[in-house]
Amino acid sequence: MKEMNLFMILIGCTPKNRLIEQHDMFFGIANELKNLIPSINNFWPEANGVFHIDCWRKVTRVGNYNIEVIEKTNFKNNFQLFFINLGGYLPNEFEEYHHKQLIVAKSKAEAIKKVKETEFYKKFSFKGAQSHIDDYYGVAVDEIFNVQDILYPEFKEKYQLKITEATENKLDKNNIGYLNIQKMLKEK
């Protein structure tokens, strides 16, 4: 079996009847990024196959934890991988800023506690417009998800994430910038 990887992808497009570009996150499992294009098309049908990738990351390390894709087994993780979408504001700016964060924790409560320590959470907040997660979590986080739970069904059925402690804190590379899908598919 080829080595399979977890990919975190920020997709952008301007769907019909929208005034500005919209974005969504996609988590998929493949050996190469381009192999996820059909799944992304199914995930966001309103894009009508016309989308681009603004950012992507092959997720192998989060903090002091290794993230590995394995075939589905009875392996039980002591930790979970959470995706958190923080929203925040700056004074006098007509914008809600977002920060996408991966956190390894044993529970949602622990993940929220960790994300509240991030620089974004502290910086993009002021009286009357606090950085947030969502009111029903007791802090304000726009969204929080266990990544294993939000994998597209075709990936959930075959694979699971194995999370183990690492001896060093190494960062994954964030690939940032407009990536044209048609051009990527033509490349070998």
Side-chain angles (χ1 to χ4, degrees):
M1 179 176 99
K2 292 181 181 179
E3 179 185 353
M4 301 304 273
N5 301 291
L6 173 65
F7 288 91
M8 175 178 167
I9 305 167
L10 178 64
I11 310 162
C13 81
T14 306
K16 185 179 178 181
N17 298 322
R18 295 288 176 237
L19 299 177
I20 60 173
E21 183 177 326
Q22 311 288 294
H23 291 93
D24 205 347
M25 294 298 301
F26 179 81
F27 288 87
I29 295 174
N31 59 332
E32 292 183 65
L33 178 65
K34 69 181 178 181
N35 294 340
L36 291 171
I37 302 306
S39 298
I40 294 170
N41 276 320
N42 291 333
F43 169 75
W44 199 355
E46 297 83 8
N48 223 9
V50 182
F51 64 89
H52 60 273
I53 293 174
D54 282 304
C55 308
W56 66 275
R57 170 182 172 183
K58 181 168 42 169
V59 181
T60 63
R61 185 71 67 95
V62 175
N64 288 324
Y65 298 91
N66 292 317
I67 310 299
E68 183 182 351
V69 174
I70 62 172
E71 288 187 29
K72 198 157 193 167
T73 66
N74 291 328
F75 176 81
K76 297 290 181 205
N77 280 308
N78 291 324
F79 302 99
Q80 299 171 61
L81 178 62
F82 290 96
F83 165 67
I84 301 174
N85 182 34
L86 282 170
Y89 308 93
L90 292 174
N92 299 315
E93 294 204 19
F94 194 80
E95 186 66 57
E96 179 186 8
Y97 296 93
H98 286 92
H99 177 69
K100 285 102 177 102
Q101 179 83 42
L102 290 176
I103 290 184
V104 172
K106 291 184 178 184
S107 67
K108 273 187 184 179
E110 182 183 344
I112 289 170
K113 183 178 177 183
K114 286 181 175 184
V115 84
K116 288 172 76 175
E117 298 301 316
T118 63
E119 193 64 31
F120 181 91
Y121 193 88
K122 295 173 184 176
K123 181 179 177 184
F124 285 80
S125 188
F126 61 95
K127 187 173 181 171
Q130 283 72 30
S131 183
H132 60 276
I133 300 175
D134 242 349
D135 292 334
Y136 63 89
Y137 289 113
V139 293
V141 172
D142 273 352
E143 292 93 17
I144 181 169
F145 302 99
N146 181 327
V147 173
Q148 185 72 46
D149 294 340
I150 60 171
L151 286 172
Y152 214 57
E154 67 190 80
F155 307 123
K156 245 196 282 198
E157 292 168 7
K158 296 179 189 174
Y159 306 105
Q160 71 183 80
L161 302 178
K162 181 178 179 181
I163 303 168
T164 55
E165 292 187 64
T167 56
E168 61 186 57
N169 187 349
K170 182 181 133 192
L171 298 175
D172 288 331
K173 179 182 178 189
N174 287 325
N175 300 278
I176 300 170
Y178 184 92
L179 178 58
N180 181 292
I181 301 303
Q182 299 309 317
K183 183 179 176 185
M184 181 181 68
L185 290 174
K186 290 178 185 176
E187 293 175 356
K188 294 183 181 191

